[in-house]
Amino acid sequence: MIKFLDLQKINAQYAAELKQAAAEVIDKGWFLLGERVKIFEQQYSDFIGVKNTVACANGLDALRLILRAYIELGIMQEGDEVIVPANTYIATILAITDNRLKPAWVEPDIKTYNLNISLLEQAVTPKTKAIMAVHLYGRACWSEKLERLAEKYSLKIIEDNAQAAGAYHYFTDNIRKRTGNLGDAAGNSFYPGKNLGALGDSGAVTTSDGELAAVVRALANYGSQEKYVNKYQGLNSRMDEIQAAFLSVKLKYLDLENEIRRQIANYYMENIKNEQIILPTPTEHKESHVQHIFAIRTKQRDKLQAYLAANDIQTLIHYPIPPHKQTCYREWNHCSFPITERIHKEVLSLPVSPCLMMEEVEQTVSSINKFKS
Ligand SMILES: *Cc1c(COP(=O)(O)O)cnc(C)c1O
């Protein structure tokens, strides 16, 4: 069986280092708000290129905390609107609605599966305060046009970097910056299945805005900057020392693992040949994509998935139901976003795990090439 993502195998590569890291934390007996988190925060800031990393409990909280901090700072208030792609993972939307803000849905570009930046301006209203740029599937979603629009309407740009740890956006003259360092602040997820995965839940806010970082840090710790003194009605959303220790081990290998994912994706791009299948559109620079998800599209999606399963190849769908069609968002169920809905009906994610063997990738391609509807 070719697994979609074999977490056992991925972490087995680093087993000795991970066990050592855990042992050090256990021996020290300090589990929260300690050195390991501080060290990881500095390492991640250096990696991403930002001034501040604030570790927290998970990626959803990272996004919630950013918006909550903007509310505490008086930059946003209840009922304000946040522009967001309609085809994102539910967490992006939950972070908005949890803060009593309103998602202003924008259709994606069918070529990139990311926010269609040419549709942004028509979504702006006097209540718009921010744009959520989701780097979906690991592909950087950024452009000068996006920056200009944000400036024109004084909007914050918040990146949802949950799927794109390690990706770069290229500016002119080949100057590049990592995603997570492009907007005003970014939410990062270290969920075990993400490209930089902890061995449990974890996340982080990255930002070069020191004032925002301080508020996020307080909000994640009961709203407190000083023990037993509470400035805000905060949450308890902190990264465990043990997860930070694991992440310091795994961060060292992230660029390498992303490169292996890109090689697998590249093999798919060059060798999948089946008229029923639409391959993803390549990025101009290969490092603008970290191939968190390699999604192909076909009108025969469910048939293809069943056929591959019968051939011992596990695939997943990211995602089967768009957020606006979820039961939890009844008030938007009537909305129609044809491109988003089409993507949800047609996408199928192939395995791109950095631990796949070349034979497994070849076998996947040869099965796909033989598929007839
Ligand atoms: C995973 C993910 C999140 C949430 O991260 P968690 O750590 O699972 O809470 C947010 N947005 C996107 C796009 C994601 O893929």
Side-chain angles (χ1 to χ4, degrees):
M1 157 93 148
I2 301 176
K3 283 195 184 167
F4 182 76
L5 187 68
D6 189 339
L7 286 180
Q8 205 174 15
K9 209 167 166 187
I10 288 177
N11 291 307
Q13 304 174 94
Y14 317 120
E17 276 186 271
L18 292 170
K19 286 176 184 172
Q20 175 65 26
E24 281 171 20
V25 175
I26 294 165
D27 289 346
K28 195 160 182 217
W30 191 280
F31 302 111
L32 282 162
L33 302 172
E35 277 304 310
R36 298 303 326 185
V37 166
K38 259 199 207 118
I39 292 167
F40 174 70
E41 286 180 339
Q42 187 58 52
Q43 290 166 337
Y44 199 66
S45 290
D46 293 344
F47 177 81
I48 295 286
V50 283
K51 292 204 182 109
N52 311 280
T53 295
V54 183
C56 65
N58 55 64
L60 169 58
D61 276 4
L63 294 169
R64 286 169 72 201
L65 286 162
I66 293 167
L67 292 168
R68 191 115 166 215
Y70 280 132
I71 292 170
E72 293 292 355
L73 287 166
I75 290 167
M76 292 178 196
Q77 59 180 20
E78 196 177 318
D80 281 344
E81 293 170 14
V82 179
I83 292 175
V84 68
N87 65 320
T88 183
Y89 179 55
I90 193 81
T92 321
I93 312 297
L94 289 172
I96 297 169
T97 56
D98 177 69
N99 280 295
R100 299 172 188 277
L101 299 164
K102 272 180 66 185
W105 315 86
V106 171
E107 284 264 55
D109 180 337
I110 191 77
K111 288 214 178 79
T112 62
Y113 306 135
N114 275 336
L115 203 59
N116 185 341
I117 290 165
S118 63
L119 300 177
L120 276 188
E121 196 157 17
Q122 66 197 61
V124 176
T125 75
K127 285 194 168 264
T128 310
K129 291 291 158 62
I131 301 168
M132 196 70 99
V134 183
H135 308 301
L136 199 70
Y137 299 161
R139 180 184 183 121
C141 169
W142 201 259
S143 73
E144 275 173 39
K145 191 170 173 193
L146 172 67
E147 283 180 17
R148 279 201 306 273
L149 268 169
E151 204 171 288
K152 180 171 170 189
Y153 295 100
S154 303
L155 308 176
K156 297 289 182 193
I157 307 181
I158 299 160
E159 295 169 76
D160 182 339
N161 197 33
Q163 301 191 356
Y168 284 101
H169 172 73
Y170 284 76
F171 295 88
T172 46
D173 306 327
N174 260 12
I175 293 168
R176 60 180 196 174
K177 274 191 189 178
R178 300 252 195 204
T179 59
N181 180 25
L182 298 166
D184 294 282
N188 298 264
S189 166
F190 310 122
Y191 171 81
K194 297 286 156 75
N195 287 30
L196 176 58
L199 312 189
D201 273 322
S202 287
V205 172
T206 49
T207 179
S208 288
D209 177 343
E211 191 185 15
L212 181 75
V215 179
V216 167
R217 192 177 289 286
L219 284 171
N221 188 34
Y222 307 108
S224 164
Q225 278 162 336
E226 191 188 327
K227 206 168 184 186
Y228 305 129
V229 181
N230 296 77
K231 192 163 175 190
Y232 313 106
Q233 296 176 25
L235 328 171
N236 176 1
S237 178
R238 304 178 300 208
M239 183 189 286
D240 295 329
E241 287 283 286
I242 207 161
Q243 295 304 337
F246 291 146
L247 287 166
S248 290
V249 171
K250 294 191 73 182
L251 180 60
K252 294 186 286 180
Y253 305 106
L254 178 59
D255 277 334
L256 177 65
E257 289 203 342
N258 284 342
E259 187 51 35
I260 299 169
R261 285 173 180 271
R262 281 194 284 262
Q263 283 167 11
I264 297 167
N266 194 46
Y267 189 87
Y268 285 144
M269 293 298 279
E270 287 181 350
N271 295 285
I272 292 177
K273 293 193 165 58
N274 185 324
E275 282 180 357
Q276 318 244 17
I277 286 164
I278 301 168
L279 291 168
T281 310
T283 50
E284 192 185 336
H285 297 271
K286 77 173 170 53
E287 288 173 327
S288 298
H289 207 315
V290 290
Q291 305 295 343
H292 174 60
I293 284 165
F294 187 90
I296 57 172
R297 256 174 51 227
T298 172
K299 294 224 163 21
Q300 310 294 328
R301 192 263 310 276
D302 295 344
K303 251 188 174 168
L304 177 60
Q305 186 174 38
Y307 160 87
L308 290 173
N311 282 277
D312 267 348
I313 300 162
Q314 189 190 12
T315 58
L316 295 177
I317 296 167
H318 297 94
Y319 298 91
I321 307 168
H324 71 282
K325 294 293 184 196
Q326 297 286 356
T327 308
C328 67
Y329 287 136
R330 266 200 203 92
E331 65 267 50
W332 290 296
N333 284 178
H334 70 278
C335 295
S336 155
F337 301 115
I339 298 170
T340 295
E341 287 158 34
R342 184 168 157 208
I343 291 170
H344 283 74
K345 277 196 198 93
E346 296 183 355
V347 280
L348 186 68
S349 309
L350 304 183
V352 271
S353 152
C355 279
L356 284 175
M357 317 264 269
M358 208 51 220
E359 303 87 83
E360 295 177 306
V361 182
E362 285 164 8
Q363 192 190 323
T364 304
V365 168
S366 100
S367 292
I368 290 172
N369 288 350
K370 283 185 216 135
F371 172 72
K372 291 187 198 75
S373 61

